[in-house]
Amino acid sequence: MPKFLHTADWQMGQTYSRFDTEDGAALVEARYDAIERLAALATEHGCDAVLVAGDVFDAQTVSDRTIRRVFNATRGFNGPWVMLPGNHDAALAESVWTRARRLNAVPDNVHLALESGIVPLPEQGMVVLAGPLTQRHTYGDLTQPFDSIETAPNLLRIGLGHGSVQGVLPDDIDSTNPIAPNRTETAKLDYLALGDWHGVKEINQRTWYSGTHEPERFRNNDAGYVLIVDIEQPGATPTVTRHETARYQWHQWRESLSVPSDLDELLNRINELPEASVLDLKLDGTLTLAGDQKLTDALSIAEAKYRSVTCDRAGLQLEPTEDDIAALHADGYLGEVVQELREGQQAVNADDDAEVARDALAILAGLLISNDTEVAQ
């Protein structure tokens, strides 16, 4: 029973400039670790081959070190690897792939499918029909030639492509490269392994996207897995199982706060996240001064607990309660300043001014509370 592992969209060499240096470096390393995990999975499950459906590299200009590290990370599986160029690492006349060969970085068991055609793997009971991208964007279906390629009847016909299945995926995916939704039928494929959609997605019984092996964006589409595919014999229905390889979970929350219980619920959800989390928050609504301080303290704890926590509070307004004002002891001039800042948050045509007023009110409240604490001590 031939069995293979299907993966794609590694995007190696990708950087994370939006994150702090330490967090960005950890996210980069996680992508190498995930290659090692999928190689170990392929060995553990007795896979006959590993198929990588495009975008192994994030760009043609990745460093030589990145190239060497990628191929080093594959050493945990000694069987054949078939790597397909995608839209980020297209098989140009001069490309990251030709550079890898000049560096002598490509192991003997790694097959680079740089041209349209077949990669025969008779010992593994299959033939891989490859449709590599030779430029970043194409407007013809590179899997169409599969229809006319003849292979031995006793070998599985496995298609390997990278692009957008027409009429199925959203319009905002990474590339324009079209793929016919009925390609497995017209080309009599036992399975079509695809890349470009960064999450696991079943198109039909024989056509799947594996997604990326390690999440790299805030999109809830089942990223962070690989697929192990069993096909008993040519013509048999594939058995597809997904296996998690991700180190980090990415969460993007958009929350509106209006009453104290909203904040309590949010903080409980944050506290229940696994430590290997990347969290992006954007908040709007209103908070009391006490609630704002509670949020600030909770985020400070979370930043030390999780891989990365960012919070956009520009949409929040501070609405001090009478208890908040009393606790500040902001009489006389300070009381007037507090009131002016409260009113300043209501600016309709000056978002920047409203944000400055909110931040100033939070800072003033923090200073007054800190001062009271020091006096009490």
Side-chain angles (χ1 to χ4, degrees):
M1 177 186 292
K3 180 190 296 186
F4 56 90
L5 186 148
H6 169 199
T7 181
D9 301 301
W10 293 355
Q11 310 289 149
M12 302 307 294
Q14 184 177 46
T15 58
Y16 296 89
S17 57
R18 63 169 294 180
F19 295 96
D20 292 341
T21 301
E22 179 183 348
D23 293 332
L27 295 173
V28 167
E29 287 303 309
R31 304 192 74 75
Y32 290 104
D33 293 343
I35 297 175
E36 294 176 356
R37 280 194 290 277
L38 71 85
L41 271 172
T43 298
E44 176 187 347
H45 288 269
C47 291
D48 297 297
V50 173
L51 309 184
V52 191
D55 284 358
V56 172
F57 298 99
D58 189 56
Q60 303 285 3
T61 55
V62 300
S63 69
D64 290 354
R65 181 172 185 267
T66 294
I67 294 173
R68 294 184 188 279
R69 289 195 66 190
V70 167
F71 290 110
N72 287 345
T74 68
R75 289 176 177 173
F77 177 69
N78 294 323
W81 296 70
V82 181
M83 296 187 177
L84 184 83
N87 57 304
H88 282 259
D89 53 8
L92 309 175
E94 176 62 30
S95 70
V96 62
W97 303 104
T98 56
R99 187 149 50 98
R101 282 179 167 170
R102 282 201 304 273
L103 292 170
N104 198 29
V106 185
D108 292 339
N109 63 322
V110 176
H111 304 267
L112 304 184
L114 304 186
E115 297 179 355
S116 179
I118 64 170
V119 179
L121 300 175
E123 293 183 8
Q124 289 72 33
M126 66 183 75
V127 174
V128 177
L129 289 71
L133 272 73
T134 55
Q135 56 190 29
R136 185 174 178 88
H137 297 296
T138 62
Y139 298 93
D141 186 344
L142 297 179
T143 67
Q144 193 277 331
F146 297 173
D147 292 0
S148 58
I149 295 177
E150 296 185 2
T151 58
N154 63 319
L155 299 179
L156 297 179
R157 287 171 61 88
I158 309 299
L160 190 61
H162 189 90
S164 172
V165 175
Q166 298 301 282
V168 176
L169 297 183
D171 294 333
D172 60 346
I173 66 168
D174 285 345
S175 80
T176 56
N177 310 302
I179 295 174
N182 63 338
R183 183 60 63 210
T184 55
E185 298 173 18
T186 61
K188 297 181 175 57
L189 300 176
D190 293 292
Y191 184 86
L192 178 55
L194 296 178
D196 196 33
W197 179 252
H198 285 209
V200 175
K201 191 170 184 66
E202 178 183 6
I203 304 302
N204 56 53
Q205 285 184 320
R206 299 183 184 277
T207 306
W208 287 73
Y209 286 94
S210 67
T212 183
H213 64 326
E214 178 72 28
E216 88 292 6
R217 61 180 70 173
F218 294 107
R219 178 184 286 173
N220 184 21
N221 66 341
D222 283 338
Y225 296 89
V226 297
L227 302 177
I228 291 182
V229 184
D230 290 271
I231 308 178
E232 188 168 351
Q233 60 187 10
T237 300
T239 298
V240 181
T241 57
R242 67 181 190 174
H243 297 262
E244 187 170 9
T245 52
R247 169 75 175 91
Y248 294 109
Q249 296 181 16
W250 290 50
H251 306 273
Q252 188 173 58
W253 298 347
R254 300 295 180 253
E255 306 291 334
S256 184
L257 308 178
S258 57
V259 294
S261 61
D262 291 340
L263 177 61
D264 292 338
E265 181 182 348
L266 172 63
L267 298 186
N268 286 336
R269 288 172 59 202
I270 292 175
N271 192 50
E272 291 171 356
L273 287 172
E275 291 190 8
S277 290
V278 178
L279 176 62
D280 176 64
L281 281 173
K282 185 173 184 179
L283 305 178
D284 61 31
T286 59
L287 274 182
T288 66
L289 292 182
D292 184 67
Q293 187 60 48
K294 188 176 182 179
L295 173 63
T296 298
D297 293 342
L299 290 176
S300 179
I301 294 171
E303 287 168 358
K305 181 179 180 182
Y306 303 124
R307 176 70 274 163
S308 175
V309 177
T310 57
C311 183
D312 180 354
R313 298 159 77 164
L316 280 176
Q317 289 191 1
L318 298 183
E319 293 292 344
T321 64
E322 295 303 321
D323 289 340
D324 286 334
I325 299 299
L328 293 178
H329 303 296
D331 300 324
Y333 173 71
L334 283 177
E336 294 176 4
V337 172
V338 169
Q339 183 58 34
E340 288 182 10
L341 292 175
R342 292 174 67 182
E343 295 172 354
Q345 294 180 106
Q346 309 301 321
V348 176
N349 297 319
D351 290 341
D352 290 343
D353 290 345
E355 185 175 347
V356 168
R358 187 201 67 247
D359 291 344
L361 181 55
I363 292 170
L364 177 57
L367 290 172
L368 292 174
I369 291 171
S370 176
N371 183 62
D372 282 350
T373 302
E374 291 176 2
V375 171
Q377 293 174 345

